[in-house]
C-alpha cells in the first residue's frame, strides 16, 4: 500500500547557479530518510524539486512501491506527497483561520465529510477542536507547526517531506513535535524524507541519511553508523564534532 | 574589587493590547565580574529583554525599573542619555544575532569599524585605519585589506558576524553582551566564531554576557549560567555542574534534546509546572 | 448595559473563538479598536458619515431649491441668516447647492472606487502572480497610463466621450486604477514567495484559486487605504473637470462647477467660490485622515 521515493541523478539549476548536482537516493516505502547539510548544500532544494516548487533541470524523480504511482506534478502525486515547511510563522496564511487552512485542501480535492476530517486532523496532532477557529497569530510556534502538520496530513498522503520542521522551535517544543512525527509515522505507516542541519535530530527520526555539501553528495550512511561514529568523509566528521558543542582548545 | 556590572531586581514591562503593563522581565538580579556569564532560556523567557535593558535598547513603549543597575559604579538608570550612549559601543559592546540587520548596509565594513572608533576615542585617520585592520586580522579574517572595503552584503554570514565582533571590540570594551551571536550561522562556522570570541574575551579580560537558547552550547562556553523562565532566573549554576542541575526546568531542557548515539523514543517532554512561573 | 459591555468585549477579544462568526467578528473588532485609538481618523470618519447623511437627507436639510433663485431680489447676496453662505449670480442659495452637490460628490467617489479598485487589484495580482510575459504586458499598459498627468488624461477621455457627469466618472476611473495595480503587484510579488502560498500550490490549488482566495485578500487592505487616500484627488479631479466645464453640466450643483461659477466674482463676491472650496477641502481632508487611520488598522504586518 505505501510508497517510497526514488531520485536519480537530480540536477537543479537556478539562473545559472547549480543548486543540486547529480544526486541520487532511494527511500523505501515506510522508511525515514534524512538529508543533512549546511546552508547552500542544496538539501532543501531537493525537497522543493520533488514537489514541483523548484525546476528539475535533469534527472528523474519517481514514486516507488506497489499500487498507483502517479507522476510528479499530477493531482494524484499531490495527494500522496505533502510537505511541512521550516518556518511555522511563514507557512500559515495570516488572514485565514485554522478551519479555513484545513478546509482548503479538502475543497480542492473535493473530499467529502470535511467537518469530521478537520476535527480528526486536529485531534491527531494533539490540538483538539478548541483551536479550530483561531487565527495563526493566536497560536504559539509549536501549535502552528502542528497545524502545518495537520494540513499536510489531511489529504492522507503516503510520503511526508519535512523541511527542517523543528529548527525554528524551542528545544522543549522540538521534542514534542519530534514525538508527534514519530507517532504519526508509526500509526499511518508514512514514508519520511526529512531535511535538517542538525545531525542529532536527523538520526533521532531517520534510519538512513545522506550528507550533502555544495549541492553534491558527501556520503550516505545509516543512523547506527553515525551513532557509532563510523563515518568515512572528513566533512561528516567535522559536522559530527560541531554538533557536540564548543570545546576549548 | 567591585563587580563590573550590578543588576538588582531588574524589571521590564510592556503594555499589552488592553494597555495594561505586562512584565517580560520580573526581578532579575546578578553580578558580573570579568567572567563569561551565560543567560539561557526559551523564547519569551525575557533573556533578550534583560540584555537590551542593560544596553538601554528597550523598545520605547517598554518600562525598565530596577533597585540598582550599575556598570562600573555608573548608575545606568539615572545617568544622562549622553553618558549612556558613550558607554554603548564604547565600554559596553554588543553583538546581535544576525549581522545582516546589525551592520549598516550602505557603509563598507572598514568605514563602520573606523566610525565606531572615532565615536569613542580621538584618533588620527591613519591610526584608526590601522587599528581597524588589526582588529579584522584579530578576528581571523584572512585578507583584512580586502574585507575592509567590502559592503556587508558582499560577505558571508560568518564573515559578517566576525566583522561585527571586530567592530564591537575595536573600542576595547570592558563588557560584551552577545545576544544569540551564532544562531544564524552554520554549525561549523559557529564554532569558529565562538573560538575567536573566546580568545578575544580571554586575552582582553572582558566581561561577557552570552545570551542564547542553546543550553549545551552556552554551558560549554561560559563559566556560569543563569537559566531563565517566564522572566525570572530559576537557576544559577556553574557551567561544569550542569549535569547536577536542581531545577526541573533546567533538567527538562537538557534531557529533551535528541543526542547522537542515543535512541530515546519518545523523547522526554518538558512538563511545565505553573509554579515555576510564580 | 454596563454589565453587558465587558462580556461582549471578552467574547470578541477571545483568544479561542468557538465559531467562524466569532473569529471574523473578533478580528473586525480588534481592527476597529486600533482605528478608534486614532482621534484624527475618527474625525475623518465622522465628517464622511456626516457627508453621507447630508447627501441622503438633502431634500430635508436644504432650506431652498438648488436650481431656482430669485434673480430680482436675491442675486449675489453676502452671507446672512437667511442665506448662511450667501447666494450666487442666479440668486440661488449656495448652502442648498452645496448640500445637493454632496450627492454628486458622493456619487463620483463611490463609482470611481467601485470601478477602479477592482480593476487595479485584478491587473496587479494577475501580473504579480503570473510573472513573465503577462506581467511585462500588463505593467507596460499600466506604465502608459501612469505616464500622463491624471487630469490631462481624464480631459482627453472626456473630450472623446463628451462632457457630462457619467463620462467624467468613467474618465476618472480609467485614469485612477494604475496606482492600485502597482500596489497590488508589489504586494503579490512578496506574497507569492511565501511558504503559505507554496503550501496551497502543493495541495494542488489552481493559479486562479490562489490569486482570488489567497493572494487578493492580503492585497485588499493596502488598496483600500490607497483608494481612501486618493479620494481627495478624485474629488479634486472631478471638481477640476467641473471647473473646466467638462464634468457636471449646469445647472447641476457640482462643487467644482460652483467654484468655476464663482471665479467671475471672486474679487467682489468672494463667498460664491469660498463655500464650495471649503467643502472640497474639508471632505478631501477627511478622506486623507480616514486613510491614515485605516492604514494602521488594516496593516496585516502590524498584527502579531
Amino acid at each position: 500500500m505505501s510508497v517510497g521515493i526514488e531520485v536519480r541523478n537530480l540536477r537543479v539549476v537556478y539562473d545559472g547557479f547549480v543548486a543540486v548536482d547529480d544526486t541520487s537516493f532511494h527511500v523505501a516505502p515506510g522508511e525515514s530518510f534524512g538529508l543533512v547539510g549546511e546552508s547552500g548544500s542544496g538539501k532543501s532544494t531537493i525537497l522543493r524539486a520533488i514537489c514541483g516548487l523548484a525546476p528539475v533541470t535533469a534527472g528523474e524523480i519517481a514514486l516507488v512501491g506497489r499500487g498507483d504511482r502517479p507522476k510528479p506534478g499530477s493531482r494524484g502525486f499531490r495527494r500522496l506527497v505533502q510537505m511541512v515547511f521550516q518556518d511555522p510563522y511563514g507557512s500559515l496564511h495570516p488572514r485565514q483561520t485554522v478551519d479555513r487552512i484545513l478546509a482548503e485542501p479538502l475543497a480542492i480535492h473535493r473530499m467529502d465529510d470535511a467537518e469530521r476530517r478537520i476535527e480528526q486532523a486536529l485531534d491527531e496532532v494533539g490540538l483538539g477542536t478548541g483551536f479550530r477557529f483561531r487565527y495563526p497569530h493566536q497560536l504559539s510556534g509549536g501549535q502552528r507547526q502542528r497545524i502545518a502538520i495537520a494540513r499536510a496530513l489531511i489529504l492522507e498522503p503516503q510520503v511526508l517531506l519535512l523541511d527542517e520542521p523543528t529548527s525554528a522551535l524551542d528545544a522543549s517544543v522540538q521534542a514534542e513535535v519530534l514525538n508527534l512525527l514519530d507517532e504519526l509515522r508509526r500509526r499511518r505507516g508514512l514514508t519520511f524524507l526529512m531535511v535538517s542541519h542538525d545531525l542529532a535530530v536527523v538520526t533521532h527520526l531517520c534510519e538512513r541519511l545522506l550528507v550533502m555539501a555544495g549541492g553534491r553528495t558527501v556520503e550516505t550512511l545509516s543512523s547506527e553508523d553515525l551513532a557509532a561514529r563510523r563515518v568515512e568523509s572528513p566533512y561528516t566528521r567535522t559536522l559530527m564534532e560541531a554538533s557536540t558543542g564548543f570545546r576549548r582548545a | 574589587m567591585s563587580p563590573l556590572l550590578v543588576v538588582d531586581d531588574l524589571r521590564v514591562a510592556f503594555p499589552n493590547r488592553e494597555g495594561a503593563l505586562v512584565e517580560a522581565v520580573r526581578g532579575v538580579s546578578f553580578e558580573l565580574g570579568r567572567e563569561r556569564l551565560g543567560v539561557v532560556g526559551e523564547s519569551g523567557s525575557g533573556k533578550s529583554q534583560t540584555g537590551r535593558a542593560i544596553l538601554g535598547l528597550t523598545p520605547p513603549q517598554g518600562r525598565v525599573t530596577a533597585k540598582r543597575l550599575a556598570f562600573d559604579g555608573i548608575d545606568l538608570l539615572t545617568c544622562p542619555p549622553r553618558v549612556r550612549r558613550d558607554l554603548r559601543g564604547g565600554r559596553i559592546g554588543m553583538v546581535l544575532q544576525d549581522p545582516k540587520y546589525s551592520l549598516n548596509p550602505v557603509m563598507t565594513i572598514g568605514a563602520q569599524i573606523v566610525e565606531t572608533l572615532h565615536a569613542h576615542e580621538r584618533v588620527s585617520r591613519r591610526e584608526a585605519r590601522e587599528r581597524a585592520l588589526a582588529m579584522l586580522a584579530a578576528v581571523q579574517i584572512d585578507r583584512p585589506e580586502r574585507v575592509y572595503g567590502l559592503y556587508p552584503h558582499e560577505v558571508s554570514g560568518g564573515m559578517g558576524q566576525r566583522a561585527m565582533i571586530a567592530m564591537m571590540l575595536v573600542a576595547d570594551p570592558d563588557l560584551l553582551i552577545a545576544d544569540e551571536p551564532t544562531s544564524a550561522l552554520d554549525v561549523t562556522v559557529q564554532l569558529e566564531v565562538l573560538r575567536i570570541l573566546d580568545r578575544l574575551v580571554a586575552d582582553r579580560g572582558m566581561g561577557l554576557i552570552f545570551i542564547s537558547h542553546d543550553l549545551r552550547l552556552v554551558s560549554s562556553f561560559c563559566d556560569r549560567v543563569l537559566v531563565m523562565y517566564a522572566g525570572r532566573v530559576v537557576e544559577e549554576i556553574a557551567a561544569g555542574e550542569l549535569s547536577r542541575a536542581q531545577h526541573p526546568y533546567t533538567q527538562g531542557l537538557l534531557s529533551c534534546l535528541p543526542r547522537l548515539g542515543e535512541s530515546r523514543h519518545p523523547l522526554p517532554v518538558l512538563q511545565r509546572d505553573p509554579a515555576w512561573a510564580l | 448595559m454596563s454589565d453587558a459591555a465587558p462580556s461582549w468585549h471578552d467574547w470578541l477579544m477571545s483568544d479561542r473563538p468557538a465559531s467562524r462568526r466569532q473569529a471574523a467578528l473578533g478580528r473586525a473588532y480588534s481592527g476597529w479598536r486600533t482605528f478608534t485609538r486614532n482621534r484624527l481618523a475618527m474625525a475623518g470618519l465622522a465628517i464622511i458619515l456626516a457627508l453621507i447623511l447630508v447627501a441622503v437627507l438633502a431634500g430635508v436639510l436644504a432650506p431652498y431649491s438648488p436650481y431656482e433663485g430669485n434673480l430680482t431680489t436675491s442675486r449675489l447676496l453676502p452671507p446672512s441668516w437667511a442665506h448662511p453662505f450667501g447666494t450666487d449670480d442666479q440668486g440661488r442659495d449656495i448652502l442648498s447647492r452645496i448640500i445637493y452637490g454632496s450627492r454628486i460628490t458622493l456619487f463620483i467617489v463611490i463609482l470611481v472606487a467601485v470601478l477602479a479598485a477592482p480593476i487595479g487589484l485584478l491587473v496587479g495580482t494577475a501580473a504579480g502572480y503570473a510573472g513573465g510575459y503577462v506581467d511585462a504586458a500588463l505593467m507596460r499598459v499600466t506604465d502608459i497610463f501612469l505616464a500622463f498627468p491624471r487630469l490631462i488624461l481624464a480631459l482627453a477621455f472626456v473630450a472623446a466621450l463628451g462632457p457630462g457627469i457619467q463620462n467624467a466618472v468613467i474618465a476618472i476611473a480609467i485614469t485612477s486604477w494604475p496606482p492600485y495595480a502597482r500596489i497590488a503587484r508589489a504586494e503579490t510579488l512578496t506574497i507569492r514567495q511565501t511558504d503559505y502560498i507554496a503550501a496551497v500550490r502543493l495541495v494542488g490549488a489552481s493559479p486562479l484559486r490562489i490569486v482570488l482566495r489567497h493572494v487578493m485578500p492580503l492585497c485588499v487592505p493596502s488598496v483600500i487605504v490607497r483608494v481612501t487616500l486618493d479620494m481627495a484627488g478624485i474629488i479634486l479631479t472631478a471638481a477640476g473637470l467641473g471647473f473646466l466645464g467638462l464634468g457636471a453640466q449646469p445647472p447641476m450643483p457640482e462643487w467644482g462647477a460652483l467654484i468655476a461659477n464663482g471665479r467671475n466674482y471672486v474679487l467682489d463676491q468672494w463667498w460664491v467660490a469660498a463655500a464650495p472650496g471649503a467643502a472640497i477641502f474639508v471632505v478631501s481632508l477627511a478622506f486623507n485622515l480616514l486613510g491614515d487611520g485605516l492604514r494602521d488598522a488594516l496593516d496585516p504586518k502590524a498584527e502579531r
Side-chain angles (χ1 to χ4, degrees), chain A residues 38-39 170 172 179 182 248, chain B residues 42-43 186 188 221 265 272:
Chain A
E38 300 192 289
S39 53
D170 276 327
S172 61
N179 287 343
D182 230 4
R248 213 154 263 129
Chain B
E42 297 190 296
S43 50
D186 277 328
T188 48
F221 189 77
H265 293 266
R272 284 158 206 275

Side-chain angles (χ1 to χ4, degrees), chain A residues 37-40 137-138 169-176 178-179 182 197 199-201 203-205 226-229 235 238-249, chain B residues 17 36 41-44 47 186-191 194-195 198 213 216-217 220-223 249 253 256-270 272:
Chain A
E38 300 192 289
S39 53
H137 71 259
Q138 293 167 324
L169 304 176
D170 276 327
S172 61
V173 182
Q174 164 172 288
E176 289 168 17
L178 287 177
N179 287 343
D182 230 4
H197 68 279
L199 277 178
V201 168
T203 49
H204 178 81
L205 213 59
L226 194 73
R229 304 180 166 264
Y235 180 71
T238 320
L239 275 188
M240 204 167 73
E241 266 147 29
S243 71
T244 58
F246 179 76
R247 227 169 304 150
R248 213 154 263 129
Chain B
R17 279 201 299 192
R36 285 172 290 234
E42 297 190 296
S43 50
K47 59 184 191 302
D186 277 328
V187 271
T188 48
V189 185
Q190 191 173 16
L191 290 193
L194 284 181
R195 213 163 287 137
D198 182 53
H213 67 283
R216 250 188 281 168
L217 184 73
S220 65
F221 189 77
C222 296
D223 309 314
Y249 177 67
L253 266 191
C256 70
L257 286 168
R259 261 168 264 169
L260 269 183
E262 244 189 47
S263 178
R264 293 176 299 164
H265 293 266
L267 286 167
V269 174
L270 195 61
R272 284 158 206 275

Side-chain angles (χ1 to χ4, degrees), chain A residues 116-180:
Chain A
R116 187 188 54 81
R117 283 177 198 271
I118 290 171
E119 280 173 19
Q120 192 191 329
L122 284 172
D123 269 345
E124 207 167 4
V125 294
L127 283 180
T129 46
F131 288 83
R132 188 166 162 190
F133 298 104
R134 294 201 200 178
Y135 286 98
H137 71 259
Q138 293 167 324
L139 303 171
S140 70
Q143 289 166 346
R144 287 172 194 232
Q145 202 59 315
R146 283 168 192 264
I147 298 292
I149 292 170
R151 169 179 59 195
L153 289 178
I154 204 158
L155 291 176
E156 297 178 3
Q158 297 289 314
V159 180
L160 213 51
L161 309 175
L162 304 163
D163 187 0
E164 305 248 16
T166 60
S167 67
L169 304 176
D170 276 327
S172 61
V173 182
Q174 164 172 288
E176 289 168 17
V177 172
L178 287 177
N179 287 343
L180 171 69

